[in-house]
Amino acid sequence: MITSKRYFQKKEYEKEPIFDRVYVVTLFTFYWKITVDTINFAKKLVKEINYRYPETNAYYGYMTRGCIRKCSFCAVPTLEPQYCEYIPLKQRIDEIKSKFGEQRNLLLLDNNVLASPRFPEIIQEIIDCGFEKGAAYTEPNQYAIALRNLQSGLNDIAYINKLFCLNVDLLSRLKGEQEQQFFNLLDENKLLNTKTVTKENLLKVAGDILPLYTKYVRKLPRQRYVDFNQGVDARLFTEENAMLLGKINIRPLRIAFDNIKDIKYYENAIRLSAKAGIKDFSNYLLYNFNDKPIDLYQRLKINIELCEELDINIYSFPMKFHPITGEDRFNRDYLGRYWNRKYIRAIQAILNAIKGKVGRGKEFFYKAFGESEEQFFKILEMPETFILYRFFFEWLGEVKNYSVSTMSWWNCWQETFSLLTEQETADLLEIIHQNKFSLQTELYVDNTKFSKLLSFYTNFRDDVVTQGTELYILKQEYDKNPTRKLRRKKR
Ligand code: SF4
């Protein structure tokens, strides 16, 4: 793309944007000012922006900063070394409300709110802001707010776009003659296309549109929620603070379970919260740190059992550890002391298949991670493609009796290891755990004891998706009548 100096000097880009998309990258919060300026400038260069951010209808804030702990895997002690036990909220909420209208949810980014000796005051302030248990939210008149902000020149690009979208929304709600008349009004004023819409024309017709919008776009009351987005510290739970949490409309309550040794604290936190009436939980589980692979299985299983016993929902999110300090800093291939590359890939393949989260329901969990610790390790050792297309490769063995299947791999595994010496067992496991199969199978092609089993690890993923291959054809057949997919259990 060739652009002249004049194009920038005369700001021609504002009249005639030429880029389809501009990427802006930023690394640190303290660059926020230049980042915002850059984004606002970049917005003038692109032809059309109509991106809807997923969580816009919320207040964002902090009521504390920093953390009283110094977990070695965490950046908070470095970024926010001083613990600040209270930051007022209400005045900020009121300011946002008067400028942008009432928002639905409250997202608090505190790192360790339970550590604050002013926690009861914090909860009371959240209640005073309208987030008590059972609180509902009715969306204010977005057209009136956007119009007011466009008139005052708060952010012309944003509010031109907002009013454009609200007009489109209104058009989709009208019927018959009214729809036609409204369409004509937008058409005559060039308001049907983001490239032709202008502030002047939007303001010109606003007086006609606002009453229509107020009449036809009615929003029903909905539940509103508080989310301590960074989680609360299980080790600081008491009956009192759990009851305080139960007084606000919290959903989900996020509690980390990073170390199996914290099981006593974790279970206590969940039980006290459930007793306080909290039903929905979210749980981050660090792995690939100082933990063993089996710890991850056990932590996930505890969550499944707690869900059943207490009739609650816990969504678990396993999070892989990457060092943020030391010589392995930012090493994406970092391996924890007890982990190997194959197991890491296997966990990622399972998580890929279940979209990164583990929900309620024993049946679902057992299928994904195994019914027992032995089965969990069997899945970790399984060829990656077999994990990704689990039902298909099981079907190949059970229904088609095909040579490549989960069943034939497992038979081969058992037979192979039964014939190996201790040293050979260690060698073969080492090869598998390195997870570099194309290279390894070439090296060991002459080792008849290893080669048959290793051949299962050659990546079949390409075959499954490459037209014309046997596996592709079988996959087509399977997809017409797939094995019943497990559904996450909902309350
Ligand atoms: S408790 Fe949480 S926020 Fe505090 S240092 Fe540990 S991981 Fe970081």
Side-chain angles (χ1 to χ4, degrees), residues 66-78 110-112 230-236 256 258:
C67 179
I68 53 161
R69 304 194 189 277
K70 300 216 169 345
C71 304
S72 57
F73 52 81
C74 178
V76 171
T78 312
D110 301 52
N111 295 300
N112 197 337
Q230 307 298 300
V232 290
D233 188 338
R235 291 160 290 188
L236 297 176
D258 291 326

Side-chain angles (χ1 to χ4, degrees), residues 265-288:
Y265 295 113
Y266 177 72
E267 270 205 48
N268 179 52
I270 297 282
R271 285 179 192 284
L272 288 177
S273 307
K275 197 172 153 197
I278 298 169
K279 285 278 182 196
D280 295 285
F281 297 83
S282 167
N283 171 228
Y284 288 100
L285 304 137
L286 186 77
Y287 70 96
N288 192 40

Side-chain angles (χ1 to χ4, degrees), residues 464-478:
V464 175
V465 295
T466 306
Q467 282 194 18
T469 64
E470 244 176 55
L471 273 179
Y472 179 86
I473 294 162
L474 283 162
K475 181 77 169 43
Q476 300 294 301
E477 183 187 337
Y478 168 79

